[in-house]
Amino acid sequence: MLNGLKGAAADREGRLRVTDLVTYLKRNLPILAQSVGKNQNPRTSMDIDLQKEIVGPFPKELDISIEFTASQPLTEMILEDPDLNIVKQGNTAELRWDLHLKRGEHVLREK
């Protein structure tokens, strides 16, 4: 929840509404729970305006670095934007990707 409140759940315009946070939690909480051997399926029951803005705007774009360790096996990686377009493709031998990304949830995966 804290990551969502810090901006990970914000929409592409950088606004964070109640509905954005709920969607973020429903998507990410089961994955996080599963990573520690637990099972959680979040449910919501609210009597508030889901379109109410919580905080924002967050920046629409930001600079990030993704670092790979030299001890990792050579792996082909793909970074996709929220629309599943490839933003960057390369392998872990590059050790570091310096990127300028648009707001939204990106996916880093093995090819």
Side-chain angles (χ1 to χ4, degrees), residues 4 34 59-60 65 78 85-86 96 110:
Q34 191 176 38
K60 291 182 183 178
S65 294
I78 294 176
N85 298 310
I86 295 175
R96 180 180 170 125
E110 290 184 18

Side-chain angles (χ1 to χ4, degrees), residues 37-55:
K38 303 292 180 183
N39 189 18
Q40 286 194 357
N41 294 306
R43 293 179 288 159
T44 58
S45 175
M46 292 181 274
D47 194 22
I48 60 174
D49 178 8
L50 292 177
Q51 298 304 316
K52 179 156 181 69
E53 220 170 281
I54 299 172
V55 68

Side-chain angles (χ1 to χ4, degrees), residues 58-106:
F58 289 94
K60 291 182 183 178
E61 298 180 353
L62 45 138
D63 295 315
I64 70 156
S65 294
I66 299 173
E67 295 188 21
F68 303 101
T69 62
S71 63
Q72 291 175 309
L74 185 63
T75 306
E76 191 71 20
M77 303 297 291
I78 294 176
L79 178 66
E80 297 172 329
D81 68 12
D83 297 320
L84 301 179
N85 298 310
I86 295 175
V87 174
K88 173 88 175 165
Q89 184 171 342
N91 62 51
T92 54
E94 294 176 53
L95 295 183
R96 180 180 170 125
W97 292 353
D98 292 315
L99 304 162
H100 185 79
L101 301 178
K102 293 181 181 176
R103 170 136 313 276
E105 191 169 337
H106 290 68

